[in-house]
Amino acid sequence: MQSLFEFLSLSDPNVRYVVLGSVLLGCCAAVVGTFTVLRKRALVGDAVAHSVLPGVCLAFLFAGSKNPFVLLIGAFLSGWLSLTVIDYITRKTRIKEDAAIGLVLSVFFGAGILLLTAIQQSGNAAQSGLDKFLFGKAASLLFDDVLVFGGIAVLLLGLVWIFFKEFSLLTFDRDFAQAVGLPGRILELLLTTMTVLAVVGGIQAVGVVLMAA
């Protein structure tokens, strides 16, 4: 840790932003992702990462500019909607969850690519850089990006710290958690929302493919 601080103190500002942003992103994504993997829902992160693109494009069309907060809100709503659709398909049909994830992932990502292509061909100069949500821009993070990552990391790590016992019980023994009166559905909804937020926070930095991992 001391070596990291020494490195940051001697490096230029751009390197500091990249390192700090990557560390914050890695911390919150790893902690939340652990619960996702232990609950055997690892493909959910993949679905969310690919499903945020149409939300980003629609948010851009609505705002007319690349306001990072507006784009993040659009990405969050799109990712959350994709998980809702997956849950609905799984509960209301005979389609298994992995098939539902593949279906929703392909439809949302295809719609996102269609919208992104239409925006790029519209001639709007403000659209430059939207493709960074596909491939990321870790090497060019700004101080504002680090602030966003820091806020998301504090929120997610704080929630895990507060509800660690409940999340652990729900993850390893759901039946017992329900037997002792824990609101399993609400806790699952909270974990799902945290997963979406973690993915959305990292999309702009490392892109869809790496954030899925």
Side-chain angles (χ1 to χ4, degrees):
M1 184 63 71
Q2 184 178 359
S3 299
L4 176 60
F5 286 130
E6 291 176 354
F7 170 74
L8 292 176
S9 63
L10 296 174
S11 59
D12 62 85
N14 180 256
V15 174
R16 296 176 196 170
Y17 299 152
V18 172
V19 173
L20 287 175
S22 301
V23 169
L24 291 170
L25 176 60
C27 289
C28 62
V31 171
V32 176
T34 299
F35 288 103
T36 303
V37 172
L38 290 174
R39 292 165 62 226
K40 299 180 179 179
R41 303 199 70 192
L43 282 178
V44 168
D46 198 4
V48 174
H50 286 81
S51 299
V52 300
L53 187 58
V56 171
C57 294
L58 290 175
F60 172 78
L61 291 174
F62 175 78
S65 64
K66 297 194 301 294
N67 186 309
F69 293 102
V70 175
L71 296 183
L72 286 177
I73 290 174
F76 178 82
L77 293 177
S78 180
W80 206 88
L81 177 62
S82 70
L83 292 185
T84 303
V85 174
I86 291 172
D87 184 62
Y88 179 83
I89 292 175
T90 304
R91 288 188 295 106
K92 298 295 183 179
T93 68
R94 295 183 179 180
I95 299 177
K96 295 183 178 180
E97 185 180 38
D98 53 350
I101 289 174
L103 176 64
V104 171
L105 183 154
S106 57
V107 171
F108 272 68
F109 190 61
I113 293 294
L114 180 63
L115 288 170
L116 183 60
T117 303
I119 291 172
Q120 289 177 333
Q121 294 178 353
S122 66
N124 187 345
Q127 58 83 27
S128 176
L130 277 182
D131 58 339
K132 296 297 186 297
F133 283 88
L134 275 177
F135 308 111
K137 59 166 191 175
S140 57
L141 291 179
L142 303 175
F143 181 68
D144 291 341
D145 298 319
V146 176
L147 288 180
V148 172
F149 292 160
I152 292 176
V154 169
L155 176 61
L156 294 179
L157 295 178
L159 288 173
V160 170
W161 182 72
I162 294 171
F163 296 103
F164 182 77
K165 181 178 68 176
E166 289 80 2
F167 287 161
S168 299
L169 193 56
L170 181 69
T171 299
F172 292 106
D173 198 335
R174 180 183 175 86
D175 293 334
F176 180 70
Q178 291 179 335
V180 297
L182 289 181
R185 186 67 180 170
I186 296 177
L187 289 173
E188 281 206 348
L189 181 63
L190 179 58
L191 269 175
T192 298
T193 303
M194 291 168 62
T195 302
V196 174
L197 189 58
V199 171
V200 167
I203 286 293
Q204 192 173 3
V206 298
V208 167
V209 177
L210 191 56
M211 201 59 223

